[in-house]
Amino acid sequence: MQRKILIKGTLILTFTGIATRLIGFFYRIFLSRSFGETAVGLYQLIFPVYALAISFTSAGIQTAVSRSVAREHTLHRDKKCTCLLYTGIGLSFLLSMITMYLLQHYNSAIAIHFLHEPRCMFSITAMSYAIPFASIHSCICGYYLGLKQTRIPAFSQLIEQTSRVVFVCLLFTVFTRNGSHANVALAVAGLAAGEFFSMSYSLYILRSKQGITLAHSQATPSMFLSSLKELTALSVPLTANRILLNILQSIEAVSIPVQLRAFGMDTNNALRMYGVLTGMALPLILFPTAVSNSIASMTLPAIAELQASRNHTAIKIFVSRLCLGSLLLGAMCSVVFLFGGSLAGIWLFHSSLAGKFITTLAWICPFLYTNSILTSIINGLGKPFISFLYNSLHLIIRILSIYIYIPQKGIYGYLIGLLFSQVLLFFLSLQFLYRYFQKGETL
């Protein structure tokens, strides 16, 4: 029964993940052709700030809600599950409002001193409105993932992506027909629109279809206080890990255009190359993660339940099969990208540079896809510090490659560092899991 639920949930998440990525693909093609490669670079430049804001407000809380709800649901404590959900929403929403204010108040300082690009100032303000909607949406998704009910998180993801694309395309059409200049900030505003509609759908399902409301939860104040303590204890280390990792990722992202200028490029060409890499080539390489990320989303609550039942052997078998399957997926994708990458870059994006990047990045696929699952497994085993340590090390290697090799070899120096860091993360994670099961730790 456990296996059927896992497979069904993974298939639902995979199907919607593929659908949203297909929509996202055409959307990126639309952006590159409508706004230009430099504008895509500016658009991609704000995502480190967005990821950092999401990490602070909801990412750790969502994982904590998912893990706690999975355990309480196994013990048939439905009232506690509802209490955990609303406590998570309240905590996440409060943090999101603080974050939105800070982003709007310090948008100029962030754009100039952190991103080194004053043109991102308005985009930061537009992006900030997405944070409160995303906080509520993510907590509800975490709740349903903990229950292994993947249809609602999956469909809300599809709504988020679809509404974002429709919103931006409509605004772009209105602007161009009126003879006005369409700025890439329209695409940033689409983030807020997408999160608003996905949040609205999630709340509607929560209240009308599932009948889950705060008034009917029959939870006592002491139960809410207990839930707050539990979620705080779980989410604080997860949030701290995500924030520190995203700070490293942000340093990595904003440093690439700067070091490309040190290599000898002007600002526009540096942004163009950054936009092609992060807005065209990498999304194509990451497309199959619709499968691996779906598996990873189901892995954490599944392992939490197996831990609750203290089934050590089942976890070992589960982990080995997941790793083998993701490696096979990565190997097949490597072959496809290696031989078809150049054609894909020209056909999809009208960019030969994107094709070169895709071919170079093809070797990373087996490690990249498996690492997301390995990280989820380690977190599910209750070892978030280990995953944080390994991810920090692999990001530091990537950052060092930016400062050491980009000024000497250009962007390809960074790609070499990216491959090496993913390989290192893969083997470190496998070594930890091997030692963990060899010791036969109490789960």
Side-chain angles (χ1 to χ4, degrees), residues 160-188:
E160 188 273 329
Q161 183 78 307
T162 305
S163 57
R164 180 201 304 185
V165 173
V166 171
F167 178 83
V168 174
C169 290
L170 286 175
L171 275 186
F172 180 81
T173 303
V174 170
F175 269 71
T176 51
R177 284 185 177 179
N178 292 335
S180 302
H181 174 66
N183 192 280
V184 76
L186 290 179
V188 181

Side-chain angles (χ1 to χ4, degrees), residues 370-383:
T370 308
N371 283 340
S372 63
I373 295 175
L374 290 173
T375 299
S376 185
I377 290 170
I378 293 172
N379 285 333
L381 290 172
K383 304 290 183 178

Side-chain angles (χ1 to χ4, degrees), residues 84-153:
L84 286 164
L85 166 65
Y86 280 102
T87 304
I89 289 176
L91 182 60
S92 184
F93 185 75
L94 175 63
L95 293 174
S96 70
M97 294 303 292
I98 295 171
T99 302
M100 184 176 72
Y101 169 78
L102 293 174
L103 287 173
Q104 294 180 6
H105 190 71
Y106 296 103
N107 61 350
S108 177
I110 295 170
I112 295 171
H113 300 295
F114 181 60
L115 300 180
H116 304 288
E117 184 50 72
R119 287 178 287 181
C120 291
M121 187 168 62
F122 181 73
S123 294
I124 293 171
T125 301
M127 174 266 293
S128 69
Y129 290 102
I131 307 300
F133 305 138
S135 67
I136 297 174
H137 172 221
S138 65
C139 285
I140 297 175
C141 286
Y143 170 78
Y144 282 110
L145 287 173
L147 297 178
K148 292 191 176 62
Q149 297 179 19
T150 55
R151 291 183 181 180
I152 294 165

Side-chain angles (χ1 to χ4, degrees), residues 29 60 77 118 157 194 202-203 207 213 222 235 245 297 304 328 354 360:
I29 294 170
R77 298 173 181 170
Q157 181 187 11
S202 300
L203 285 173
R207 294 177 63 86
T213 64
S222 61
S235 65
L245 289 175
S297 296
L328 289 174
T360 305

